[in-house]
Amino acid sequence: MSLVSVQNISVGYGATKVLRGVSLEIDPGEILTVVGPNGSGKTTLLRALIGAVTPASGRIERGAGLRIGYVPQKLHIDPTLPMTVSRFLRLPGGATPTQIAAALDRAGVPDLSNRQMSGLSGGQMQRILLARALIGQPNLLLLDEATQGLDQPGSAAFYRQIEEVRAATGCAVVMISHELHVVMSASDRVICLNGHVCCEGTPEIVSAAPEYQALFGTGTGGALALYRHDHDHSHDATCGHDHAHDDSTTKAAE
Amino acid sequence: MMLDDFMTRAALAGIGVACAAAPLGSFVVWRRMAYFGDATAHAAILGVALSLALQISIFAGAVAVALAMALTVTVLTGRGYAMDTLLGVLAHSALAFGLVAVSFLSGIRIDLMAYLFGDILAVSRGDLAVIWGGAVLVVALIGWRWSALLTSTLSPDLAHASGIDPRREQLILTLALAITVAVAIKVVGVLLIAAMLIIPAAAARPLSRTPEQMALFGAVIGAVSAVAGLHSAYLLDTPAGPSIVCVAAIFFALTSFVRGLRA
C-alpha cells in the first residue's frame, strides 16, 4: 500500500499548464528523487502533494495515517520577527522540549535551540527546517531543493543526514533537486520530470535513458561516481567558522 | 464611581485600544502590511459618514466599510494589481468620498476633527463598553489563531503542509484589523490608527526574543503611551490623540537607541 498515490494530475496557473498527466506512487521507506530542468514543474508537484495547489484534473490519494514533514526550498524570516529556534520548532503543533532536543539532535544541530532564526547561516537554517519537519514524526519527508545555497561538501553532508534519518526512522523521502550527481546516488528511485514524467527508475537507469540525456546531457554519469568517494570529507554546518560569520552578518543586518 | 471621571474613561479607552493593537500590530509589522492598515483606517471615515446618514451605530458602519475595503484590496491583489497602487487609489478615494459625504450631512453638525484625530476625552461609558468589547474580541480572535497565524506569516507553504489554510488566516487578520480600526476611531482618529498599530509593536521589537514577547511588550508600551500621552495632553494643553502617538514614537526612538548601543 503506497503512502501517496498521484493519479494523472494536471496543474496550471492561469492559462499555463505546468504539469500534464503526472502519475506516481510513493512507497513507505523509499527515497525518491524528482529531477528536472527549471520550470519543469518540480516545485508545483511538491506543492500539490502538500495541498497548497489543487490539481485541475486527476486526483491525489493520501494513505491513512500519512504524516508529512515538509522542508521548504528556503525560508526568509523578516528581521522584524523575533523568533528563537526552539520557538520555531514549537510551531504550530506545540512540541515538548524533549521532542525538540531529539529533532535537533537528529538533524545534526543540537546546540542551536536558543539562537535567533534570522542569525542562522544557510546550512544551519536547512538543518533547522529539517528538524522542524521531523518533529511530527513524519512517515513522508518532502524536500524542495533543500541544499540550495550550500556548497558541495555542505550539501553532500546534508544528504548523508537525510539517509541517516531514513535509516533511523524508516520514513519515505521525496526530494527535488537539480544537483543531479549528488542527489541521484542517494536515491532508490528517480523520476525525471519536464511537465510530464519523462522517465523513471533506478539512478543508473535514468541517467542512461535517452530522455534524461536529452534534458541534461551525458556528463552527469561520470559525476555520479564523485559523490561515492566523497564520504570521508566532513564539513559540518555548525563549525566555528560559521558562527563567527553569523555574528557579523547579524550585526550588519541590524 | 471612578468611571465618572473623564480622564479615567479616556485612560481606560486608550489602554483597551493598546491591548488590541499590539498583537495585531505585530502581525502588521511582520507581514509588511503597514500601508494596508493605513488604507483600511482611512476608508473608515466613509463608514462614519454612512453611519451618520443612515443613523446607525458608528462602530457598525466603520467595521463594515473597513472590512469591505480590506476584502476588496485582498481580492484585487490576487488578480495581479500592484498592491501599493491599489491601496493608494482605494484608500484615498474612500477618504475623499467620506469627507465629501460628511459635508452633505448639513442637518447634523459634525465635528470632523473628532473622527480624523480622535476625541478620547469625550469617551462615554457606552463608548468604553464598545472599545473594550472590540478589544477583547480582537485579542481572543488572534489568541485563538496565534500559532496558525504565525505559521502562515513565516511561510504559506509550511502552513499548508501543517494543514493550515493561509487564506483563512489572512481573512481572520483582516477582520481583526477592521474591528480594531472601528474601536480606535474615538481614541486616536482614522489618521493615526496605523500609528497605534505599528509604533508600539516596532518599539517592542528590539526588546523581544520571541513573537509573544513582542506582542506583550507592545501592549505595555502602547498602554503606557496612552496614559502618559493623556497626562501630557492635560498638562501641556495639547490634543490627546496625537500626544499619545508622540509618546509612543519617543519609546520607539529609545528602544532603537538601546539596540544601537548593544550592537
Side-chain angles (χ1 to χ4, degrees):
Chain A
M1 167 79 202
S2 56
L3 288 171
V4 177
S5 165
V6 176
Q7 296 161 6
N8 199 26
I9 61 163
S10 296
V11 181
Y13 299 106
T16 344
K17 274 235 166 128
V18 183
L19 293 177
R20 298 179 306 274
V22 172
S23 299
L24 59 96
E25 305 274 324
I26 302 166
D27 293 325
E30 71 167 337
I31 296 187
L32 168 66
T33 297
V34 179
V35 299
N38 287 338
S40 61
K42 295 174 302 221
T43 294
T44 302
L45 176 62
L46 214 58
R47 295 190 74 222
L49 288 176
I50 64 171
V53 291
T54 315
S57 64
R59 46 188 278 128
I60 298 177
E61 268 176 29
R62 295 173 175 84
L66 176 70
R67 292 182 308 278
I68 289 180
Y70 172 61
V71 182
Q73 193 171 117
K74 57 178 185 263
L75 182 66
H76 169 77
I77 295 197
D78 199 278
T80 59
L81 176 54
M83 182 70 82
T84 57
V85 167
S86 63
R87 180 68 190 92
F88 175 71
L89 295 180
R90 276 188 286 119
L91 274 178
T96 64
T98 328
Q99 287 171 314
I100 289 177
L104 284 172
D105 220 35
R106 181 143 288 159
V109 280
D111 305 320
L112 292 180
S113 68
N114 284 319
R115 294 276 298 277
Q116 282 288 311
M117 290 291 286
S118 50
L120 299 177
S121 70
Q124 290 169 332
M125 178 65 95
Q126 278 315 324
R127 278 156 195 263
I128 296 302
L129 290 173
L130 175 62
R132 184 184 175 280
L134 292 174
I135 278 191
Q137 297 183 313
N139 47 17
L140 174 58
L141 200 55
L142 301 175
L143 295 99
D144 184 4
E145 302 269 7
T147 57
Q148 227 183 26
L150 301 189
D151 57 15
Q152 195 142 345
S155 49
F158 187 82
Y159 287 122
R160 275 201 296 284
Q161 195 86 47
I162 298 292
E163 288 183 281
E164 278 168 31
V165 166
R166 195 265 300 255
T169 68
C171 66
V173 180
V174 174
M175 294 192 277
I176 279 179
S177 188
H178 58 252
E179 290 174 304
L180 312 166
H181 49 290
V182 183
V183 177
M184 283 175 67
S185 58
S187 313
D188 301 320
R189 198 151 67 89
V190 177
I191 286 182
C192 177
L193 193 72
N194 191 19
H196 60 284
V197 176
C198 299
C199 54
E200 65 173 298
T202 62
E204 287 76 14
I205 289 176
V206 169
S207 55
E211 296 90 344
Y212 173 82
Q213 291 184 354
L215 281 174
F216 296 105
T218 50
T220 47
L224 197 62
L226 266 181
Y227 169 75
R228 296 196 167 138
H229 298 285
D230 207 18
H231 281 273
D232 51 350
H233 180 88
S234 159
H235 181 95
D236 199 293
T238 57
C239 70
H241 166 77
D242 265 341
H243 280 253
H245 178 68
D246 269 348
D247 289 342
S248 60
T249 50
T250 310
K251 271 175 201 156
E254 284 175 0
Chain B
M1 193 181 159
M2 73 170 202
L3 288 182
D4 286 343
D5 178 18
F6 73 94
M7 280 297 274
T8 311
R9 288 198 302 270
L12 286 174
I15 292 169
V17 168
C19 289
L24 178 61
S26 299
F27 279 106
V28 170
V29 169
W30 299 330
R31 297 169 78 108
R32 311 207 159 197
M33 290 166 62
Y35 199 26
F36 186 78
D38 216 24
T40 308
H42 285 178
I45 200 76
L46 184 59
V48 170
L50 290 176
S51 321
L52 291 171
L54 302 172
Q55 299 198 315
I56 56 171
S57 103
I58 300 237
F59 175 77
V63 167
V65 174
L67 197 58
M69 173 73 183
L71 291 177
T72 308
V73 172
T74 309
V75 168
L76 289 183
T77 35
R79 299 209 179 142
Y81 287 88
M83 179 78 145
D84 58 343
T85 308
L86 206 54
L87 287 173
V89 171
L90 289 176
H92 296 111
S93 330
L95 182 61
F97 275 110
L99 294 174
V100 169
V102 167
S103 75
F104 278 124
L105 302 169
S106 51
I108 324 157
R109 196 175 155 273
I110 305 158
D111 184 5
L112 199 56
M113 290 294 275
Y115 296 107
L116 290 179
F117 294 105
D119 195 6
I120 191 172
L121 297 178
V123 166
S124 68
R125 287 174 183 225
D127 293 334
L128 209 51
V130 168
I131 289 169
W132 272 91
V136 167
L137 192 62
V138 167
V139 171
L141 204 58
I142 292 181
W144 171 49
R145 303 305 306 167
W146 183 262
S147 288
L149 278 168
L150 263 181
T151 310
S152 328
T153 300
L154 281 172
S155 150
D157 280 352
L158 271 188
H160 274 299
S162 308
I164 298 163
D165 183 355
R167 282 162 302 187
R168 192 175 94 131
E169 306 307 322
Q170 164 87 39
L171 217 55
I172 285 170
L173 218 49
T174 305
L175 180 64
L177 186 63
I179 297 172
T180 306
V181 163
V183 301
I185 287 179
K186 193 85 182 174
V187 175
V188 286
V190 296
L191 294 182
L192 290 176
I193 288 170
M196 277 307 276
L197 282 172
I198 294 154
I199 300 178
R205 170 63 187 99
L207 312 173
S208 315
R209 284 182 50 78
T210 61
E212 290 78 13
Q213 283 178 0
M214 184 158 149
L216 191 67
F217 294 157
V220 172
I221 290 172
V224 172
S225 304
V227 173
L230 273 174
H231 202 68
S232 56
Y234 180 73
L235 292 177
L236 305 171
D237 195 23
T238 50
S243 304
I244 293 172
V245 173
C246 289
V247 175
I250 291 168
F251 270 115
F252 175 79
L254 284 177
T255 59
S256 304
F257 181 67
V258 167
R259 181 183 60 176
L261 284 185
R262 269 199 229 141

